[in-house]
Amino acid sequence: MEEKAHLEEVKVKNMFYKPAWKEETTSEINTKEAEFIPKVQTVTPKPKEEPKDLREPHPALKINENNPSVKPVEVIRKPNKLKPTGEPKLVENATKLALKRNKSSSPQPHLATKVKTSSTPTKMNKTKTTKKSKEKKKKDNKTQKPVKKKKEVIAPTHFPYFMDNYCPPECACYGRVVQCSDKGVDKVPYGIPYNARYILLMNNRIDSIQLDLLDEYVSMEFLVLSNNRLTDGAIEGAFEGIPALKRLYLDRNLLESVPNDLPMSLEELRLDNNHLSVMSEAVWARCPGLLVLSLSNNSLGNGSESLPNAVLSPLYNLRTLNLDHNQLKSVPLGIPLSIKELYFKGNLIEHFRGGAFNGKSELVVLDLSANRLTNKGLLKESLVNATHLESLNLEGNRLKQVPKHLPPSLKTLNLEGNLISSLKRTVFSTLKNLEHLGVARNKIFKVAPGAFRFLPVLHQLDLCHNILRQVPRQLPQALHSVALTHNKIQSVPRDAFCWGNRSLSLSRLVRVQLEHNLIDMGKLDGQAFRCLRGFQVVHFY
């Protein structure tokens, strides 16, 4: 029994002294690691080891775990309750020393945190890489911020202000000319500089113009919006505030009326190929300085005989008026006397009234081709005030005779494509200044001898596509070219080209066209060509 008691005392001593010695060594190591880790963070210290006596009992105690007199767990945490059999003071001092060292070694927050972070190096590296990537992104954002600031400096605060030398990416700029045509845009490009003079936006899909958008373009003189999709409501109020605009092209759009906010400075307006059917005098009162007005290919006159009387009277400076291809049935009354060029081609005009010009007109060019004019519809007083008229085009009407009372100032007269069957001797006697005469594509079969001799300055004569059987006699001596193709000519009289004083001198003719006729070369009289500069002037084939 005494031996057993002695063995138990030895076991108890070993249990207390051995863990205390181990605890001391581990705590020393831990304190060294705790002192070392903050200096070099790349070293990963060993994870904290709990004392073996706290995790599991001593192996000697495991053998006697059925022995009730030995309680190893209570011996560690409650040393006062032990009942020592041998040396009590030594055991008590040993337990106190162990507890003190345990207390001094257990609260190690810095070491614990270091051990935890160091025990998972991959997580730590990931966090470091994520932090680095975030820092890089922040740096990249910081480096990108000045670029955004530069863009913000360029970008306007309100539409569409940019520097004078800026050009929108959709356009091409040449000095103060901005070319944005054929780009497929559906609105006015952003950022056209305010100092632009010519802005070209034709052949796009623009369907609206922002109100007051163009007011800031104080230098703009020429604006082209041809071939877009503009309607009346889309352009309302768009042009009123443009101070220097002189030329405005709105042709080939979807307009049904003339804009009522045209600028006072306007000199040229083109509204061709729209759907215009009406216009009012008040509209034109806004732009009295207008010089050119083109309204072709519209529906003006639809449902009425003509335009309202004197509807164009406010345009007292107008020089050119184009009303081709509308549905007018008569020439409008009260046409401004300032007009020099007047075009009515392709309408339904049957009457040219005497009140078209209320006073001496400055008209120089008048085109009434492709209408329904007859000799009754073209009255004596129709052109009585057109004392400066030089060019008159009556092609493609229903005239059966050369109109009488034509202005003596005429230099060019086109009567082609009518129903004229003959030319009397005095029909051109008053046209002393006529230089070009066209009577082709009629039904002329007879020309009185000397019908052209009263035309002293006639240079060009066209008698093609008629039913003449011989070359007209006594052609003008100043004639340079005569076209007689596609007739039924069989003979050339001796006095056709060479008559009077010219029979003794060379003719001025340089071209005589006789192709597509019935001439028998064997029966030609050679004396008929005696005054010509050679047979190379005459073309038979």
Side-chain angles (χ1 to χ4, degrees), residues 344-363:
F344 289 107
K345 181 180 179 179
N347 279 273
L348 308 172
I349 295 174
E350 298 176 357
H351 305 284
F352 194 157
R353 301 173 187 174
F357 303 104
N358 297 322
K360 296 296 179 181
S361 172
E362 297 181 15
L363 189 64

Side-chain angles (χ1 to χ4, degrees), residues 239-260:
F239 310 113
E240 186 174 6
I242 309 175
L245 188 63
K246 293 181 179 180
R247 302 168 66 189
L248 176 59
Y249 286 11
L250 291 168
D251 52 296
R252 289 174 289 167
N253 278 282
L254 305 174
L255 304 176
E256 296 181 1
S257 62
V258 180
N260 56 8

Side-chain angles (χ1 to χ4, degrees), residues 45-306:
K46 292 181 181 180
K48 181 183 174 181
E49 293 182 358
E50 293 179 0
K52 288 182 180 181
D53 50 17
L54 295 176
R55 289 182 296 171
E56 57 183 7
H58 194 272
L61 295 178
K62 272 187 178 182
I63 298 168
N64 300 317
E65 70 191 325
N66 293 324
N67 190 356
S69 62
V70 179
K71 295 181 181 180
V73 176
E74 290 180 0
V75 169
I76 294 168
R77 295 187 180 179
K78 298 179 182 180
N80 293 329
K81 292 181 181 181
L82 288 173
K83 295 179 180 180
T85 56
E87 299 170 350
K89 288 182 182 180
L90 181 62
V91 175
E92 189 177 351
N93 292 331
T95 53
K96 285 181 182 181
L97 182 62
L99 288 172
K100 282 180 182 179
R101 287 176 180 176
N102 285 333
K103 283 180 183 179
S104 62
S105 61
S106 59
Q108 293 177 355
H110 297 289
L111 181 61
T113 54
K114 294 291 178 181
V115 169
K116 284 181 182 178
T117 54
S118 62
S119 64
T120 56
T122 54
K123 288 183 180 180
M124 183 175 176
N125 292 332
K126 285 182 181 179
T127 52
K128 284 181 182 179
T129 52
T130 52
K131 284 180 181 180
K132 285 181 182 178
S133 62
K134 285 180 180 179
E135 286 176 0
K136 283 183 180 179
K137 285 181 180 179
K138 286 180 180 179
K139 286 180 181 179
D140 292 338
N141 292 332
K142 286 180 181 178
T143 54
Q144 288 176 0
K145 279 182 182 178
V147 178
K148 289 184 179 179
K149 285 181 181 177
K150 286 181 181 177
K151 289 184 179 178
E152 288 174 2
V153 171
I154 295 171
T157 54
H158 61 280
F159 184 91
Y161 178 75
F162 280 98
M163 296 176 65
D164 291 346
N165 60 351
Y166 178 81
C167 188
E170 303 93 339
C171 308
C173 301
Y174 311 95
R176 298 174 70 182
V177 178
V178 182
Q179 170 61 275
C180 307
S181 303
D182 302 284
K183 304 299 181 182
V185 297
D186 56 2
K187 61 182 179 180
V188 178
Y190 182 77
I192 297 176
Y194 284 154
N195 70 337
R197 291 182 63 189
Y198 294 177
I199 300 178
L200 312 179
L201 293 162
M202 67 187 77
N203 304 328
N204 285 294
R205 298 194 298 270
I206 300 172
D207 54 7
S208 64
I209 299 177
Q210 183 181 340
L211 188 65
D212 301 329
L213 168 64
L214 304 174
D215 292 356
E216 299 294 334
Y217 291 90
V218 295
S219 302
M220 182 170 61
E221 299 177 5
F222 188 18
L223 176 61
V224 181
L225 287 162
S226 307
N227 194 22
N228 279 283
R229 300 175 182 178
L230 297 172
T231 59
D232 294 340
I235 62 171
E236 187 175 358
F239 310 113
E240 186 174 6
I242 309 175
L245 188 63
K246 293 181 179 180
R247 302 168 66 189
L248 176 59
Y249 286 11
L250 291 168
D251 52 296
R252 289 174 289 167
N253 278 282
L254 305 174
L255 304 176
E256 296 181 1
S257 62
V258 180
N260 56 8
D261 56 353
L262 299 172
M264 294 285 289
S265 59
L266 200 62
E267 295 181 358
E268 181 180 358
L269 175 62
R270 295 191 180 274
L271 290 165
D272 312 276
N273 296 92
N274 279 280
H275 305 298
L276 305 181
S277 58
V278 294
M279 66 173 71
S280 64
E281 185 177 345
V283 170
W284 305 122
R286 293 185 58 86
C287 45
L290 199 63
L291 301 176
V292 179
L293 175 59
S294 189
L295 301 168
S296 64
N297 292 282
N298 280 286
S299 302
L300 294 171
N302 185 20
S304 60
E305 188 174 346
S306 185

Side-chain angles (χ1 to χ4, degrees), residues 12-53:
V12 171
K13 285 180 183 180
N14 289 334
M15 183 180 65
F16 283 106
Y17 279 100
K18 193 174 182 179
W21 176 83
K22 283 186 180 179
E23 186 66 21
E24 182 180 359
T25 55
T26 53
S27 63
E28 284 176 359
I29 292 166
N30 288 335
T31 51
K32 285 180 182 179
E33 287 175 354
E35 288 175 358
F36 179 73
I37 287 170
K39 292 180 183 178
V40 181
Q41 299 206 0
T42 56
V43 178
T44 56
K46 292 181 181 180
K48 181 183 174 181
E49 293 182 358
E50 293 179 0
K52 288 182 180 181
D53 50 17

